[in-house]
Amino acid sequence: QVQLVESGGGLVQAGGSLRLSCAASGRTFSIYRMAWFRQAPGKEREFVASISWGGAGTYYADSVKGRFTISRDNAKITVYLEMNSLKPEDTAVYYCAAGGATGYSDWGQGTQVTVSS
């Protein structure tokens, strides 16, 4: 399996920026795609962004397009999420995920992002 560790969360004022990191270890050779999800209190976990490991394809939820950028470092097997122009509604626990071609099978423990107004 793949182990994922998120970092970079914290408290930021609206309009500010944060950069999340997710370091992968273990059976990283099996990774086809990595992604970020988030879950706010009382809400279901939602997709934020994903990136293909073998290619350069990226996908974003409509709510974060133009504000968030997902990227990867192949040498470090790490995925990043640069979050700009943060809004209070971005407050959530952000989770990193990795999987093969059929779906996401490995998840990190999450990192809290809190955006104050």
Side-chain angles (χ1 to χ4, degrees), residues 64-76:
V64 305
K65 286 181 179 178
R67 298 190 299 120
F68 291 10
T69 302
I70 188 170
S71 61
R72 68 175 189 265
D73 184 329
N74 291 335
K76 296 181 179 180

Side-chain angles (χ1 to χ4, degrees), residues 29-97:
F29 56 84
S30 66
I31 296 176
Y32 171 75
R33 175 173 293 275
M34 294 184 70
W36 288 96
F37 291 76
R38 67 186 182 186
Q39 186 169 24
K43 301 187 68 176
E44 294 185 357
R45 186 173 298 183
E46 65 175 344
F47 170 81
V48 176
S50 69
I51 186 167
S52 173
W53 205 253
T58 58
Y59 302 89
Y60 297 91
D62 289 341
S63 60
V64 305
K65 286 181 179 178
R67 298 190 299 120
F68 291 10
T69 302
I70 188 170
S71 61
R72 68 175 189 265
D73 184 329
N74 291 335
K76 296 181 179 180
I77 316 299
T78 300
V79 66
Y80 305 93
L81 184 68
E82 182 179 343
M83 305 183 293
N84 299 312
S85 301
L86 283 163
K87 306 174 181 179
E89 51 263 43
D90 293 318
T91 296
V93 176
Y94 283 70
Y95 297 91
C96 180

